[in-house]
Amino acid sequence: MQEETLADLISEAVNGYELAREKLIRHYKPYILNAVGHITGRYITWSDEEASVGLLAFNRAIDTFNANSGRTFLNYAYLLIKRDLIDFFRKEKKNVNLHIKVSGVEATSSIEIIKSMESYREVVEATDLVEEILEFSEILSQFGIDFEDLEKYTPKHRDTRASLIEMAQHFLSFPDLIDQFIKKKRIPVTSFIQRTNYSLKTIERHRNYLVTIIIVGLHPEWRRLSQYIQIPMGSVRV
């Protein structure tokens, strides 16, 4: 989401435009789950109470964010989510290791201890990764692909994956085909086959994975995604 758009939506939400608030929350739902999971150190779904705590904190971040504070909106939202989760664990007494001393300093919860050891850089990197995932997910949806289904589309055999990555590299060597790909939101299969020796059957069988690799190749700035989606981004160049 562009910074200008984000700022506009936050302003509209604060001024009572509920559709703007809903759009913000819907767009950043993956971020909220990621942040809650990062803080708690376990896999979180929307059925967990912690996810609800995170959602409420994010909603409050929309109302209280100050653009002149020197921090980004997502870093601010992360801070509120972290604080609310700590309070939640205190009240629910879900942490068994309360009042533990670390290096002579008493902390009030194990969650607080763990997070106090994390550097600001790690938080920023986690935030940047989620931003990349959100942008990637939005582009994938334009091609009819759900980000959450990527694992299902990924070929099991390493040789098959390597062949498809090579195919994506070849595709990305044709600027006119890239233009068609971007404009029409699909692979121009006929034109591509006419210029190469690839089979229609292979392309159709692995279309979603091939589209995914091509999109990643068109966005070399998404460096943090390489490990997350297990595609060797350095192997795909425009």
Side-chain angles (χ1 to χ4, degrees):
M1 182 174 290
Q2 298 292 330
E3 285 297 323
E4 291 183 2
T5 302
L6 174 61
D8 291 341
L9 286 175
I10 292 174
S11 177
E12 291 173 356
V14 170
N15 289 322
Y17 187 45
E18 289 305 313
L19 286 179
R21 185 181 299 274
E22 291 175 10
K23 185 174 182 179
L24 279 169
I25 292 174
R26 182 171 62 252
H27 181 74
Y28 285 110
K29 268 192 169 184
Y31 171 80
I32 297 170
L33 278 186
N34 182 280
V36 174
H38 191 244
I39 293 168
T40 61
R42 66 183 182 84
Y43 180 72
I44 295 292
T45 68
W46 287 111
S47 62
D48 294 308
E49 289 182 87
E50 292 88 343
S52 297
V53 173
L55 181 60
L56 289 173
F58 184 88
N59 192 49
R60 193 169 77 259
I62 294 174
D63 293 322
T64 59
F65 176 64
N66 180 2
N68 298 318
S69 64
R71 60 163 59 100
T72 67
F73 172 71
L74 287 185
N75 280 338
Y76 176 67
Y78 185 95
L79 178 63
L80 294 193
I81 293 171
K82 172 185 171 182
R83 288 176 177 174
D84 282 10
L85 282 171
I86 291 173
D87 289 341
F88 171 75
F89 284 124
R90 283 175 179 162
K91 293 175 182 177
E92 297 297 318
K93 297 182 180 179
K94 289 195 173 185
N95 285 307
V96 295
N97 296 321
L98 299 178
H99 304 293
I100 299 176
K101 290 187 177 181
V102 178
S103 300
V105 179
E106 187 173 50
T108 56
S109 72
S110 57
I111 290 293
E112 227 171 349
I113 293 168
I114 294 171
K115 301 315 292 181
S116 67
M117 293 178 178
E118 295 181 347
S119 67
Y120 177 75
R121 179 182 59 79
E122 290 174 327
V123 174
V124 171
E125 287 183 354
T127 300
D128 289 344
L129 169 61
V130 175
E131 279 288 9
E132 290 177 9
I133 290 174
L134 290 169
E135 186 176 356
F136 183 38
S137 177
E138 186 173 332
I139 294 175
L140 279 175
S141 67
Q142 296 172 12
F143 288 80
I145 300 174
D146 192 330
F147 178 82
E148 296 180 357
D149 292 333
L150 287 186
E151 185 176 355
K152 179 175 66 177
Y153 300 138
T154 303
K156 303 302 180 184
H157 298 291
R158 182 181 300 177
D159 290 346
T160 303
R161 294 196 299 270
S163 296
L164 291 170
I165 290 171
E166 181 181 339
M167 188 185 299
Q169 284 183 299
H170 203 168
F171 181 87
L172 290 168
S173 67
F174 299 110
D176 60 320
L177 295 187
I178 293 174
D179 288 341
Q180 293 180 48
F181 177 81
I182 294 173
K183 291 176 182 178
K184 297 183 179 181
K185 308 304 179 189
R186 60 181 175 82
I187 300 174
V189 177
T190 302
S191 299
F192 185 45
I193 290 176
Q194 289 175 349
R195 304 183 194 187
T196 64
N197 295 320
Y198 298 117
S199 71
L200 174 62
K201 184 177 180 180
T202 299
I203 294 175
E204 290 299 330
R205 178 182 298 172
H206 301 290
R207 184 192 73 88
N208 288 342
Y209 185 72
L210 187 58
V211 167
T212 298
I213 301 172
I214 292 172
I215 291 174
V216 170
L218 291 171
H219 293 272
E221 71 276 13
W222 293 343
R223 286 301 177 188
R224 294 175 180 83
L225 271 172
S226 58
Q227 293 183 342
Y228 190 91
I229 62 176
Q230 298 182 338
I231 292 178
M233 297 173 67
S235 300
V236 184
R237 294 188 177 86
V238 179

